[in-house]
Amino acid sequence: MPEDPASPSFSAQRILIAGITGSGKTTLARRLAERRGLPHIELDALFHGPGWTPRASFLADVRAFAATDRWVTEWQYSGKGTDPILASRADLAVWLDYPYAIARARLLRRTVSRSLLRTEMWNGNREKPLWAMLRGGPEENILRWQTETRDKWRDRMPAVRAEYPALPVLRMGHPRETERWLQALPRIY
């Protein structure tokens, strides 16, 4: 019988964090990596080259780290070919299925902060100025992207579960639930 992914003793070593934009995937991945002594590989850093251009080595880089025994990463870039690479190797998927208002507030806070502080994110890239974020379609406007993809995981999860039946999916419906689960996990250094 497979281990219960909600159990503090669950021993997953390759973990995907799923959720809509702004749900807190990267934050949870970092915290989980620190708590469990796992390497955190941030997919945005592998995908975005200078000037927000996609890096040609993206999928090769994903294949390289996915082949290792221990990692935690965000479940993103499905349309770019990451699903068969990551989902087939993961021992656990944590799905942040939070109310939309929570993800929206988190995305607004993060985006405004990064824009005002001109925070460098990946490979020299910075968040657009606030006025620029209110223009353009979903590919250029992260707020519109979130709105258009808000139901992505709810729509996709049945197919994901059918395609990867051996992958346990731990659904978290609220940040408090996620925090209780994370705090119950023993620290591994």
Side-chain angles (χ1 to χ4, degrees), residues 85-158:
I85 300 166
L86 296 173
S88 64
R89 288 280 298 148
D91 342 270
L92 174 65
V94 179
W95 174 23
L96 305 181
D97 188 22
Y98 298 161
Y100 181 67
I102 290 173
R104 187 59 163 199
R106 286 179 167 191
L107 181 64
L108 282 168
R109 195 170 37 251
R110 178 187 87 187
T111 303
V112 168
S113 173
R114 285 179 178 174
S115 180
L116 291 175
L117 298 174
R118 302 297 300 146
T119 305
E120 184 174 331
M121 295 182 298
W122 314 282
N123 302 309
N125 297 309
R126 298 180 188 281
E127 196 74 72
K128 294 177 184 177
L130 290 176
W131 59 268
M133 283 187 278
L134 303 176
R135 302 183 314 183
E139 293 294 327
E140 299 88 35
N141 181 323
I142 192 123
L143 301 174
R144 286 191 183 159
W145 174 262
Q146 184 193 49
T147 300
E148 290 203 7
T149 61
R150 71 187 278 181
D151 294 322
K152 171 186 158 182
W153 281 102
R154 286 189 184 135
D155 294 344
R156 281 190 70 214
M157 200 49 79

Side-chain angles (χ1 to χ4, degrees), residues 20-90:
I20 68 168
T21 300
S23 59
K25 295 181 299 292
T26 301
T27 299
L28 178 59
R30 283 186 191 127
R31 292 183 66 208
L32 188 55
E34 188 273 326
R35 186 160 193 99
R36 300 297 290 176
L38 298 169
H40 170 226
I41 293 84
E42 189 172 356
L43 286 191
D44 281 329
L46 296 181
F47 183 78
H48 295 291
W52 295 105
T53 57
R55 293 178 61 249
S57 63
F58 174 64
L59 284 180
D61 293 342
V62 171
R63 280 186 198 93
F65 89 75
T68 65
D69 291 333
R70 304 174 71 249
W71 46 263
V72 60
T73 193
E74 306 81 12
W75 197 343
Q76 304 181 122
Y77 300 102
S78 296
K80 306 292 184 194
T82 60
D83 280 9
I85 300 166
L86 296 173
S88 64
R89 288 280 298 148

